[in-house]
Amino acid sequence: MADPRIIDVTLDERTILWRSADIEQERRIAIFDLLEENRFAPQRKHPDGYEGPYKLHLRVEEGRLALEIHRADDTPLETLVLGLARFRRPIRDYFAICDSYYQAIRAASPAQIETIDMARRGIHNQSAELLQERLEGKIDLDFDTARRLFTLICVLHIKG
């Protein structure tokens, strides 16, 4: 019976040199929310008909995102590799707006915080749509899953 969802997600910690408390909290929330509810259905058919659940390991290598997909028993299924060139600007913009948001939380008015948060959500939503577009035909995933995966992709880009 098909179970198209992620049951575990890990990040390649070797590529992450440093995370602030705010970023670490974003990572924890993204993983928690992702595991609570997601749709993740690789489109490649496997000889034995396996259709989930999946374990996912994310890593960045030479400017590419590798999504290592495993069965629930940890047996590897496939690794998808995506070029990240189209994500460079959204990642940079997302980091900038998140930095502004975290600073605003500490010192700005509620109206200013809401304005920055709306901009942050806008960038996040556009980036999730881009991720869905880039995975089209490879992985069927819902919008919320794409948003949470984009957050984790951003975490992988923190270099210090």
Side-chain angles (χ1 to χ4, degrees):
M1 185 174 192
D3 190 5
R5 66 187 173 97
I6 298 168
I7 59 169
D8 186 44
V9 63
T10 56
L11 305 180
D12 183 8
E13 296 293 330
R14 294 174 301 153
T15 62
I16 306 168
L17 300 179
W18 174 85
R19 289 190 289 251
S20 70
D22 292 326
I23 296 296
E24 183 58 23
Q25 180 67 5
E26 290 279 330
R27 182 197 65 80
R28 279 194 302 270
I29 290 169
I31 290 174
F32 178 83
D33 289 347
L34 181 67
L35 297 178
E36 283 292 303
E37 184 177 343
N38 67 80
R39 173 162 175 75
F40 185 89
Q43 299 300 287
R44 180 178 297 178
K45 300 296 177 205
H46 299 283
D48 65 355
Y50 189 82
E51 295 182 326
Y54 303 97
K55 291 185 177 183
L56 182 64
H57 181 71
L58 302 173
R59 63 184 162 82
V60 173
E61 201 169 278
E62 298 178 10
R64 293 186 176 97
L65 173 68
L67 296 98
E68 297 176 7
I69 304 167
H70 298 262
R71 297 171 189 261
D73 67 4
D74 285 322
T75 342
L77 278 172
E78 63 182 296
T79 298
L80 295 174
V81 179
L82 291 179
L84 287 170
R86 293 184 58 198
F87 289 95
R88 284 191 187 110
R89 183 173 183 127
I91 289 169
R92 186 174 53 241
D93 290 350
Y94 187 68
F95 278 139
I97 199 78
C98 283
D99 187 47
S100 296
Y101 177 75
Y102 296 133
Q103 289 177 19
I105 286 175
R106 292 171 178 91
S109 71
Q112 291 168 318
I113 293 169
E114 181 62 27
T115 300
I116 294 169
D117 191 44
M118 286 174 53
R120 180 175 79 130
R121 280 182 280 166
I123 292 169
H124 207 169
N125 290 346
Q126 289 171 353
S127 301
E129 289 168 359
L130 176 61
L131 183 58
Q132 283 182 302
E133 177 186 307
R134 297 284 290 126
L135 289 172
E136 191 173 334
K138 298 174 181 97
I139 299 175
D140 178 34
L141 67 162
D142 64 19
F143 182 73
D144 288 336
T145 300
R147 282 186 100 245
R148 292 164 185 144
L149 287 175
F150 177 73
T151 300
L152 298 176
I153 292 166
C154 287
V155 171
L156 285 171
H157 281 80
I158 297 171
K159 299 296 182 200

